[in-house]
C-alpha cells in the first residue's frame, strides 16, 4: 500500500490530506489505516514513537467511521498531557475539515471547564481528553460515554507513568463493553501490558520499526566530564554547533530552571519549560521555540511531551534519565522525517553502566567523544561566521548612500587588515572566553581512571587457574561472557596454579557473584567468591583490562573458536 488513494479513504478525507501535503502514508499509517478500514475497526496495540504519524493512523479511519448525522459521542481519545490533547484535536479537526457536521472537542485541565461543557453540550462526536478533566466532567454528568464506539489510549505508557492508571480504569468502566480499544505506546512496560490484558480483546499488534529502537537518522555522542563541569561542557557543545536548534533535557524542574537561567545569562536564546510555569507561560515558551525565536529549550521530560517539532538538530541530555526507554524517547525527538540528528549525553564516569543499558535499549552504539577544545570551537564559529557573511544579502539601496563615507574612513587600511578587524568585531567574544579554556574531558583510559580513584574495585576468587590454561585475556572474556556485561572494568589479575584472583568494579559485585549459576568448566561448576583480601591500592603498578571481545570467551565466539571448544553452552 503506497498511496492514501489506495486505502479506501473517503474523498473528504483525501482532500484534507492533500491540503496538508502528505504525499504518502508514513509506515504506521500504511499498517494501521487499511487494517482499521477493512476490519471495520478492531482492538489494536501499536508500538510507535511520537512523531511517527500515529494521529493520522488512527484518526483517519476513526473519522471515516463516524456517523456525522448523529451528534452522540462516538470516539474518545485519551492523552497524557494538555499539549498532546490540543494537538490531537487540532490534527483531527484539519483531517475532518471537509466532513460536514463532524465536531471535535478537546477537554483538558488548566482551562475553563464551563467553556468545555458548552462545547460538549453542543454535541461533539469525538472527544480528545486528558483523564483527570474527563473524570471531572463525568462526575458532574456533563458527558456520557455510553455511546462510544472506539477508545484510543494515546501514549499509554506516558499516561501510566504519570499516575493515571486509576483514572483510566474509572473512565473505561463508563464505556460500553463492545467498543473497540486502540492502544498506542512508545514502550511496553508491564503496566501497559496489564492494561492490554484487561481491556483489549484479541488485539492486532503492530510494531513500527523495532521496539524501542532509536531513530535511524540519529547518531549518539557521549561526553564524559566531571559532574562539576556539566554546564561548561554544555556551553562548549552549544558553541560548537552554531546552528543548533534543540532541547536540553534535565531531570528536575529546579535543574531545568537553573540551566536555562545560566544559558540566558550567558547570552543564549534559551528558555525553560517545566511544570512550575503557568500554562500561559508554558504556551508562550513553546510558541517561541516553534517559531525559532528560542533555539534552546531546557525542559523536563514531562513538560516537553506534546511539543511537536520536527526539525530539531540536537537533543542534549544534560542529565540522563533513570530509564533507558526515556533516553530512546528523548533522542527520537531529533532525526525525524528523514533528517539527521545528534543526541548528546553529558555524563560522568559513574554513569557508564547506564550508558551500556541505553546502548542495549537503542541497539546502537554511543560514541564517546572528547569535549571540544576552545581552539576547535573558535575555529568552528569563525568559519560559520565567514560562511554567513558570504551568504548575506546586501541591501544595495539602503547601504549605497553610506558607502562613500565608509570607504573614505577605511582607505588607510589594507584589505587584509579590514577583514581581520571585521571578523574580530564579532569574534573577540569567543576568543576571550576560550583564551585559557581548560580541557574538560575526563581521560577514560583505565589507567587514568584508577588514578582518578573513580573505580572502587573488589577482589574476587575464581576456581580456575593455570592448570585450566586460563590466561588474563581469557579470564576477562569469561567474566564478560558470564555476566553478559560489556563495560565491567577489571583490575589486577593474579593467576595461580588451580585458582585465580581478579579485581573488578565493585558496582558489579552481585552481577559477578550471581553469574556462575549453572556455569561449568568442563565438568566442574565454576565458582566465584569475594576474596576477603581487599585489593591493594598501588595505582602505579596495576595494569588494567576490560572486555576484550577477542578473548575467545565471548559468547558469539565460544562455539566457533577452537580454544573455546572446551566451553560448551553454559558449560565453560
Ligand atoms: P504524529 O506522530 O501524529 O504526532 O505526527 C508527526 C508529524 O508528522 C505531524 O506534524 C504530522 O502532521 C506529520 N504527518 C503525519 N502524517 C504525515 C504524512 N503522511 N506525511 C507527512 N507528514 C505527516
Amino acid at each position: 500500500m503506497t498511496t492514501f488513494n489506495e486505502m479506501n479513504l473517503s474523498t473528504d478525507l483525501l482532500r484534507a490530506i492533500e491540503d496538508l501535503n502528505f504525499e504518502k502514508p508514513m509506515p504506521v499509517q500504511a499498517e494501521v489505516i487499511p487494517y482499521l478500514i477493512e476490519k471495520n475497526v478492531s482492538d489494536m496495540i501499536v508500538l510507535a514513537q511520537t512523531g511517527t504519524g500515529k494521529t493520522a493512523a488512527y484518526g483517519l479511519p476513526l473519522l471515516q467511521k463516524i456517523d456525522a448525522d448523529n451528534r452522540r459521542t462516538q470516539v474518545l481519545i485519551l492523552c497524557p498531557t494538555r499539549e498532546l490533547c490540543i494537538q490531537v484535536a487540532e490534527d483531527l479537526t484539519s483531517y475532518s475539515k471537509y466532513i460536514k457536521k463532524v465536531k471535535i472537542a478537546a477537554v483538558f485541565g488548566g482551562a475553563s471547564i464551563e467553556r468545555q461543557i458548552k462545547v460538549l453540550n453542543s454535541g461533539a462526536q469525538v472527544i480528545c481528553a486528558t483523564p483527570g478533566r474527563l473524570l471531572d466532567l463525568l462526575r458532574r454528568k456533563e458527558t456520557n460515554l455510553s455511546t462510544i464506539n472506539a477508545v484510543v489510549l494515546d501514549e499509554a505508557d506516558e499516561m501510566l507513568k504519570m499516575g493515571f492508571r486509576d483514572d483510566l480504569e474509572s473512565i473505561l468502566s463508563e464505556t460500553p463493553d463492545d467498543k473497540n480499544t486502540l492502544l498506542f505506546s512508545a514502550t511496553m512496560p508491564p503496566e501497559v501490558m496489564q492494561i492490554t490484558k484487561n481491556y483489549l480483546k484479541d488485539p492486532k499488534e503492530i510494531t513500527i520499526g523495532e521496539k524501542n529502537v532509536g531513530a535511524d537518522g540519529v547518531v549518539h555522542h557521549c561526553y564524559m566530564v566531571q559532574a562539576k563541569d556539566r554546564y561548561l561542557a554544555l556551553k562548549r557543545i552549544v558553541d560548537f554547533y552554531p546552528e543548533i536548534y534543540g532541547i536540553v533535557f534535565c531531570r528536575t524542574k529546579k535543574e531545568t530552571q537553573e540551566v536555562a537561567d545560566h544559558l540566558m545569562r550567558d547570552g543564549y536564546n534559551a528558555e525553560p519549560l517545566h511544570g512550575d510555569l503557568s500554562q500561559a507561560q508554558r504556551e508562550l515558551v513553546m510558541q517561541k521555540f516553534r517559531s525559532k525565536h528560542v533555539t534552546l529549550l531546557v525542559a523536563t521530560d514531562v513538560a516537553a511531551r506534546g511539543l511537536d517539532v520536527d526539525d530539531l538538530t540536537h537533543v542534549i541530555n544534560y542529565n540522563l534519565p533513570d530509564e533507558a526507554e526515556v533516553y530512546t524517547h528523548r533522542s527520537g525527538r531529533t532525526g525525524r522525517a528523514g533528517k539527521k540528528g545528534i543526541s548528546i549525553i553529558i555524563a560522568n564516569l559513574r554513569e557508564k553502566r547506564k550508558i551500556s543499558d541505553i546502548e542495549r535499549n537503542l541497539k546502537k552504539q554511543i560514541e564517546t567523544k572528547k569535549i571540544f577544545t576552545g581552539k576547535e570551537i573558535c575555529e568552528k564559529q569563525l568559519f560559520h561566521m565567514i560562511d554567513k557573511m558570504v551568504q548575506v544579502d546586501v541591501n544595495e539601496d539602503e547601504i549605497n548612500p553610506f558607502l562613500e563615507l565608509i570607504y573614505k574612513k577605511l582607505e588607510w587600511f589594507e584589505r587584509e587588515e579590514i577583514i581581520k578587524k571585521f571578523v574580530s568585531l564579532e569574534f573577540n567574544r569567543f576568543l576571550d572566553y576560550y583564551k585559557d579554556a581548560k580541557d574538560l574531558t575526563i581521560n577514560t583510559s583505565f589507567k587514568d581512571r584508577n588514578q582518578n580513584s573513580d573505580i572502587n574495585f573488589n577482589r574476587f576468587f575464581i576456581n580456575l587457574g593455570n592448570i585450566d590454561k586460563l590466561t588474563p585475556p581469557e579470564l576477562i572474556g569469561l567474566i564478560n561472557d558470564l555476566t553478559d556485561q560489556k563495560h565491567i572494568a577489571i583490575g589486577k589479575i593474579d593467576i595461580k596454579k588451580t585458582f585465580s584472583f581478579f579485581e573488578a568494579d565493585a558496582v558489579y559485585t552481585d552481577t559477578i557473584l550471581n553469574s556462575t549459576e549453572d556455569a561449568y568448566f568442563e565438568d566442574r561448576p565454576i565458582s566465584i567468591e569475594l576474596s576477603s583480601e581487599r585489593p591493594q591500592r598501588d595505582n602505579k603498578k596495576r595494569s588494567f583490562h576490560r572486555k576484550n571481545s577477542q578473548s575467545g570467551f565471548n559468547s558469539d565466539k565460544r562455539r566457533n573458536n577452537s580454544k573455546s571448544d572446551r566451553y560448551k553452552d553454559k558449560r565453560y
Side-chain angles (χ1 to χ4, degrees):
M1 189 76 59
T2 49
T3 67
F4 282 111
N5 286 327
E6 293 166 278
M7 288 181 161
N8 289 330
L9 289 169
S10 69
T11 44
D12 288 342
L13 288 172
L14 289 174
R15 271 177 75 198
I17 292 168
E18 208 179 319
D19 288 355
L20 288 164
N21 291 322
F22 290 179
E23 280 173 15
K24 59 177 186 13
M26 292 167 87
V28 68
Q29 295 159 0
E31 294 259 6
V32 173
I33 296 172
Y35 186 79
L36 290 181
I37 296 273
E38 275 154 36
K39 282 272 174 180
N40 207 9
V41 183
S42 79
D43 285 5
M44 239 184 170
I45 301 172
V46 182
L47 272 169
Q49 310 279 333
T50 48
T52 48
K54 60 189 166 56
T55 317
Y58 64 73
L60 294 170
L62 291 182
L63 285 168
Q64 175 137 322
K65 303 283 171 186
I66 279 176
D67 175 0
D69 291 324
N70 193 331
R71 302 210 74 79
R72 67 187 170 88
T73 309
Q74 299 164 46
V75 172
L76 170 65
I77 298 157
L78 290 165
C79 308
T81 62
R82 171 192 163 113
E83 285 74 24
L84 184 65
C85 178
I86 296 172
Q87 189 195 314
V88 168
E90 280 175 356
D91 286 354
L92 296 187
T93 305
S94 61
Y95 304 151
S96 61
K97 71 178 185 183
Y98 295 113
I99 312 178
K100 287 193 189 83
K101 295 192 270 185
V102 163
K103 197 156 190 180
I104 321 273
V107 299
F108 45 81
S112 153
I113 197 163
E114 280 73 30
R115 204 164 329 135
Q116 294 175 356
I117 291 171
K118 240 187 213 161
V119 178
L120 290 176
N121 286 342
S122 69
Q125 292 94 342
V126 181
I127 300 181
C128 303
T130 53
R133 176 54 60 98
L134 183 64
L135 259 191
D136 199 354
L137 290 161
L138 283 168
R139 285 193 194 112
R140 293 175 186 222
K141 304 222 177 307
E142 294 292 355
T143 189
N144 173 357
L145 303 181
S146 65
T147 54
I148 292 288
N149 299 328
V151 174
V152 179
L153 304 175
D154 198 345
E155 302 200 353
D157 48 351
E158 285 306 314
M159 283 198 277
L160 293 174
K161 216 182 279 172
M162 289 168 73
F164 284 133
R165 191 198 167 99
D166 291 347
D167 288 1
L168 285 185
E169 293 190 338
S170 307
I171 292 168
L172 291 173
S173 71
E174 304 264 335
T175 58
D177 286 343
D178 62 352
K179 66 175 181 303
N180 285 114
T181 307
L182 315 177
L183 180 141
F184 285 75
S185 192
T187 58
M188 194 43 77
E191 311 81 67
V192 179
M193 290 287 284
Q194 198 58 46
I195 290 272
T196 63
K197 279 207 189 94
N198 293 350
Y199 292 97
L200 275 68
K201 293 177 293 289
D202 192 19
K204 160 102 173 153
E205 285 192 39
I206 290 180
T207 301
I208 298 305
E210 267 190 273
K211 278 179 206 174
N212 303 332
V213 169
D216 266 354
V218 184
V219 291
H220 302 261
H221 294 164
C222 174
Y223 296 91
M224 288 287 181
V225 295
Q226 293 188 10
K228 69 176 173 49
D229 289 334
R230 234 175 247 278
Y231 178 71
L232 291 179
L234 172 66
K235 259 178 73 123
R236 289 206 191 174
I237 291 162
V238 172
D239 285 345
F240 189 77
Y241 294 107
E243 298 281 342
I244 193 165
Y245 175 52
I247 303 180
V248 180
F249 281 102
C250 295
R251 280 168 67 99
T252 61
K253 296 177 212 171
K254 186 164 172 280
E255 184 181 72
T256 304
Q257 186 66 49
E258 283 169 2
V259 171
D261 284 346
H262 278 114
L263 286 171
M264 289 188 280
R265 186 199 60 200
D266 289 339
Y268 296 90
N269 271 337
E271 292 256 5
L273 185 71
H274 55 70
D276 281 351
L277 302 177
S278 72
Q279 187 56 39
Q281 285 171 315
R282 286 209 297 268
E283 260 162 27
L284 185 66
V285 170
M286 286 196 271
Q287 173 51 32
K288 286 201 257 180
F289 188 59
R290 280 195 200 96
S291 60
K292 300 199 178 157
H293 287 101
V294 163
T295 50
L296 282 174
L297 187 73
V298 189
T300 57
D301 290 290
V302 172
R305 297 209 60 77
L307 176 73
D308 180 37
V309 180
D310 272 343
D311 49 353
L312 294 184
T313 60
H314 290 75
V315 161
I316 301 180
N317 293 268
Y318 186 77
N319 252 311
L320 280 174
D322 285 333
E323 292 158 37
E325 284 90 0
V326 177
Y327 174 86
T328 303
H329 203 266
R330 285 181 180 182
S331 60
R333 288 181 155 274
T334 182
R336 285 188 180 181
K339 296 197 181 98
K340 297 267 174 253
I342 302 180
S343 176
I344 286 173
I345 299 171
I346 304 175
N348 64 41
L349 284 175
R350 288 180 209 291
E351 292 173 299
K352 275 224 132 195
R353 188 180 187 170
K354 248 188 203 175
I355 292 168
S356 313
D357 289 346
I358 290 171
E359 282 181 323
R360 256 193 305 281
N361 193 269
L362 281 173
K363 299 195 174 67
K364 270 187 169 185
Q365 260 205 318
I366 295 173
E367 194 185 337
T368 303
K369 304 201 48 122
K370 287 185 98 169
I371 264 286
F372 308 106
T373 61
K375 188 163 173 269
E376 286 168 320
I377 292 166
C378 288
E379 201 173 303
K380 185 83 183 269
Q381 287 284 349
L382 183 59
F383 285 101
H384 174 67
M385 195 180 76
I386 301 296
D387 287 344
K388 262 173 64 179
M389 195 174 78
V390 171
Q391 286 159 14
V392 79
D393 286 329
V394 175
N395 187 332
E396 304 277 353
D397 293 345
E398 295 289 330
I399 208 149
N400 277 346
F402 305 106
L403 280 180
E404 198 177 330
L405 189 61
I406 293 171
Y407 291 147
K408 213 172 192 146
K409 272 185 176 275
L410 297 178
E411 73 186 357
W412 313 106
F413 298 100
E414 299 285 335
R415 175 178 177 271
E416 282 72 21
E417 207 160 344
I418 294 175
I419 293 175
K420 262 194 277 180
K421 278 185 177 292
F422 268 101
V423 168
S424 301
L425 201 62
E426 266 289 311
F427 193 57
N428 277 350
R429 181 169 75 91
F430 279 102
L431 285 179
D432 281 349
Y433 181 76
Y434 283 114
K435 200 167 50 196
D436 302 314
K438 63 168 185 165
D439 187 2
L440 297 183
T441 302
I442 299 177
N443 195 332
T444 51
S445 82
F446 289 109
K447 195 154 179 262
D448 288 344
R449 282 168 64 165
N450 190 60
Q451 278 159 357
N452 285 344
S453 298
D454 259 298
I455 298 178
N456 185 18
F457 284 103
N458 265 338
R459 185 172 157 94
F460 297 82
F461 161 90
I462 182 165
N463 63 339
L464 298 175
N466 265 327
I467 201 167
D468 308 302
K469 300 199 172 61
L470 188 71
T471 61
E474 285 184 331
L475 176 60
I476 295 162
L478 175 63
I479 291 163
N480 289 311
D481 216 7
L482 285 170
T483 56
D484 206 17
Q485 294 275 348
K486 268 193 203 164
H487 294 287
I488 299 182
I490 307 289
K492 190 179 176 193
I493 293 175
D494 193 3
I495 300 198
K496 307 281 190 200
K497 195 169 173 198
T498 56
F499 59 88
S500 307
F501 292 105
F502 62 93
E503 292 175 9
D505 187 342
V507 166
Y508 294 92
T509 301
D510 287 345
T511 311
I512 294 170
L513 294 179
N514 295 332
S515 69
T516 54
E517 201 180 326
D518 292 334
Y520 289 82
F521 172 78
E522 290 169 352
D523 283 327
R524 205 150 32 98
I526 298 177
S527 162
I528 297 181
E529 292 163 24
L530 258 182
S531 158
S532 49
E533 205 185 319
R534 295 288 303 167
Q536 303 146 19
R537 298 263 65 113
D538 180 358
N539 295 338
K540 286 195 191 85
K541 284 190 203 141
R542 187 174 300 123
S543 65
F544 296 92
H545 316 271
R546 65 182 300 199
K547 166 138 180 158
N548 172 357
S549 57
Q550 276 104 46
S551 67
F553 287 80
N554 180 295
S555 57
D556 289 328
K557 293 201 168 182
R558 71 178 178 233
R559 284 178 207 96
N560 318 337
N561 189 312
S562 61
K563 217 179 218 177
S564 10
D565 282 345
R566 297 175 289 155
Y567 312 98
K568 300 177 191 93
D569 263 349
K570 281 282 177 190
R571 302 179 77 86
Y572 290 82

